[in-house]
Each structure stands twice: as structure tokens, then as C-alpha cells.
Amino acid sequence: MSDAQGSPLADAMNRLWAKYLPQMEERVGTLKKAAESLEIGTLTKTGQEQAGADAHKLAGVLGTFGLKEGTELAREAETLYGDSLDGDPAVASRLRAIAEQLRSMIANRP
């Protein structure tokens, strides 16, 4: 089996990654801000819905780029933001951790 590095497909995927990186970073920022807002009790329904939508979009795009763990984390966030959030500190902490893991994963993509 040959190494995919430098192949036309790998080059195309890297160009797409670079193109969509700012959008992915912005979506992770939305997740982080929503988690922080949940922690201090200021998360609005609109903010919750936006975080859920951004998590959904991240789940799809990260899978496209082979980041299976990122897809799983984003799906978890989507599910949590889709639930009725009651200010549970454990949920807020988990959502913040997911946002940080996603940020790190995106920043360190091979």
C-alpha cells in the first residue's frame, strides 16, 4: 500500500481543511462560549440552539477529514445542547471539556 501523503486527494483535502479551518474554529468558539454561559447561568435558548447547530455541523465536517473522535465529541455536544439544560455543573463542565478537546484536535490535525 502506498503512502497517501502528497497524493492529489490528500492535497485536495488539505486545501479544503485550510479553507474551512476558520469556520471550524468559530464553531468551536460558539461551543466554548455556550458552555461558559451555561456555567454562569446566562445561556439563552438561542445560544443553546446555536451551539447545538454548530456541534452538528462540526460532527459532519470533522468526520469528512477523518477525525472520528472529533465527530463523536461533537455529536455528544449536540445531544447535550439538544436536551433541556438545567444548569447542572457537571454538564457545563463536560461541554467545556468537549469544546477544549475539539479546539486542540483541530489545532493539532496532522
Side-chain angles (χ1 to χ4, degrees):
M1 206 177 258
S2 66
D3 188 353
Q5 294 288 38
S7 75
L9 178 58
D11 291 344
M13 292 302 285
N14 287 334
R15 283 192 303 275
L16 284 172
W17 178 266
K19 178 179 178 179
Y20 291 105
L21 181 59
Q23 193 174 50
M24 289 184 283
E25 291 171 334
E26 182 178 319
R27 288 179 176 147
V28 170
T30 298
L31 298 183
K32 183 177 182 218
K33 182 178 178 189
E36 291 168 349
S37 295
L38 179 60
E39 286 179 326
I40 61 172
T42 61
L43 181 63
T44 65
K45 185 68 174 168
T46 300
Q48 181 178 346
E49 289 170 355
Q50 183 63 53
D54 281 1
H56 176 81
K57 292 171 188 170
L58 281 167
V61 75
L62 293 174
T64 300
F65 290 105
L67 296 172
K68 182 181 175 197
E69 183 183 355
T71 293
E72 292 168 1
L73 288 168
R75 282 187 184 145
E76 181 182 352
E78 178 184 10
T79 299
L80 290 170
Y81 281 117
D83 289 342
S84 176
L85 298 173
D86 59 3
D88 181 347
V91 172
S93 178
R94 178 63 186 144
L95 287 166
R96 182 190 281 268
I98 289 170
E100 181 53 35
Q101 287 176 285
L102 290 171
R103 185 208 57 77
S104 178
M105 190 175 295
I106 289 168
N108 296 306
R109 178 183 174 255

